[in-house]
Structure formats: C-alpha cells, structure tokens
Amino acid sequence: IRGYGPIESGMTIAEAEKAAGRAFERSDSLDRGCDMARLTGDSGRGPLFMVVDGKIARVDVTGPGIQTNHKVSVGDDEAKIARMYPERVTVSPHKYTDGPYATVVPRTAPDSGFEVVFETDSQRVTRYRAGRLPEVEWVEGCS
C-alpha cells in the first residue's frame, strides 16, 4: 500500500518496522499466534497489519486516503476496481452484508499466493485487505 514503506507479507515484525521507519504498537500476542497491530503514531487512522506467528500476513485498510498500488482506496466507486485490475476480479457474496467481495487475483505465478480483497456496499469500496493466502481470506481477522 502506498505511504507505508515497502512492508510486505512474510516480513518479520523487525523487518517491517525497519521498512516503515516506525515500531508497531505492542501487545502480548504480537510475536506468537495471531494479532492485529498498527504502527505507532497512527492512533486509529492507519491500516491494521495482521501478524501471524511473528510475521506480517496481511494489511487491512478501513478508512479513506490509503491507496493500493493501483490507486484504489476506500470511498472509490466499485467500477474503479474492475478498471484498475482488468480481467483479474472475481465477485462473490459478502458473508455479512448486501455488498459483495471483489477479489483481485495475481497476474503472475510468483504472486499466486497473494490477493487483494475489496469489500463494497454495491457502490463504493468500504474497506479492503491485501496479503498472503489463506490469511487474506479470513473474514473475521484473527477471531
């Protein structure tokens, strides 16, 4: 995602902190199991990073202003997803709401273990997550 340094799925917490130039807010379970964490200084505004067994698994974006590498962000119209990711979007029903999931599959084989999942209200992007499989498809985060 744009603006958060080159943090990538699979990085250790230390590698991600070095890439971002900031530390993660710590919790007891951040180094083991599954936890959601923000970078210090984001105070509820920035993305949430899913950390599984001490490594970054995915990033969740719930507010406007943070774009994917293809410049899609929360608040954009649903049609922009298809325009920015032509022939790579699969639409499926949302587990809890009327709006669908729009899942972007990778273009190349080396990226086949990663996806971007947009949630919409059938008109606009309400949130999105990006990262490695299977964690990016976990609907309820670490729950």
Side-chain angles (χ1 to χ4, degrees):
I1 60 174
R2 295 169 159 278
Y4 279 83
I7 295 176
E8 297 179 5
S9 294
M11 286 182 162
T12 65
I13 295 167
E15 290 168 336
E17 287 175 333
K18 184 177 180 181
R22 293 190 275 162
F24 280 96
E25 295 174 353
R26 296 289 178 174
S27 72
D28 291 340
S29 61
L30 194 57
D31 292 313
R32 63 187 189 291
C34 182
D35 201 359
M36 302 297 284
R38 290 188 199 281
L39 290 166
T40 55
D42 280 350
S43 60
R45 295 183 326 272
L48 279 166
F49 292 87
M50 178 184 280
V51 181
V52 177
D53 297 328
K55 293 187 176 182
I56 305 296
R58 79 180 202 198
V59 60
D60 288 45
V61 177
T62 59
I66 301 172
Q67 296 180 323
T68 67
N69 289 340
H70 286 79
K71 299 185 180 183
V72 178
S73 63
V74 172
D76 285 344
D77 66 86
E78 192 177 76
K80 185 174 182 179
I81 300 167
R83 284 194 314 271
M84 300 310 290
Y85 300 94
E87 300 177 18
R88 296 173 47 204
V89 179
T90 302
V91 177
S92 59
H94 195 287
K95 184 173 181 178
Y96 296 113
T97 69
D98 291 335
Y101 296 113
T103 302
V104 178
V105 296
R107 195 178 348 207
T108 63
D111 291 331
S112 64
F114 302 91
E115 291 179 347
V116 180
V117 179
F118 294 95
E119 296 183 33
T120 77
D121 61 6
S122 295
Q123 294 179 20
R124 302 222 168 263
V125 175
T126 58
R127 62 188 306 143
Y128 70 90
R129 57 188 182 268
R132 69 182 184 200
L133 293 166
E135 293 92 340
V136 73
E137 292 184 341
W138 294 355
V139 175
E140 297 170 359
C142 290
S143 300

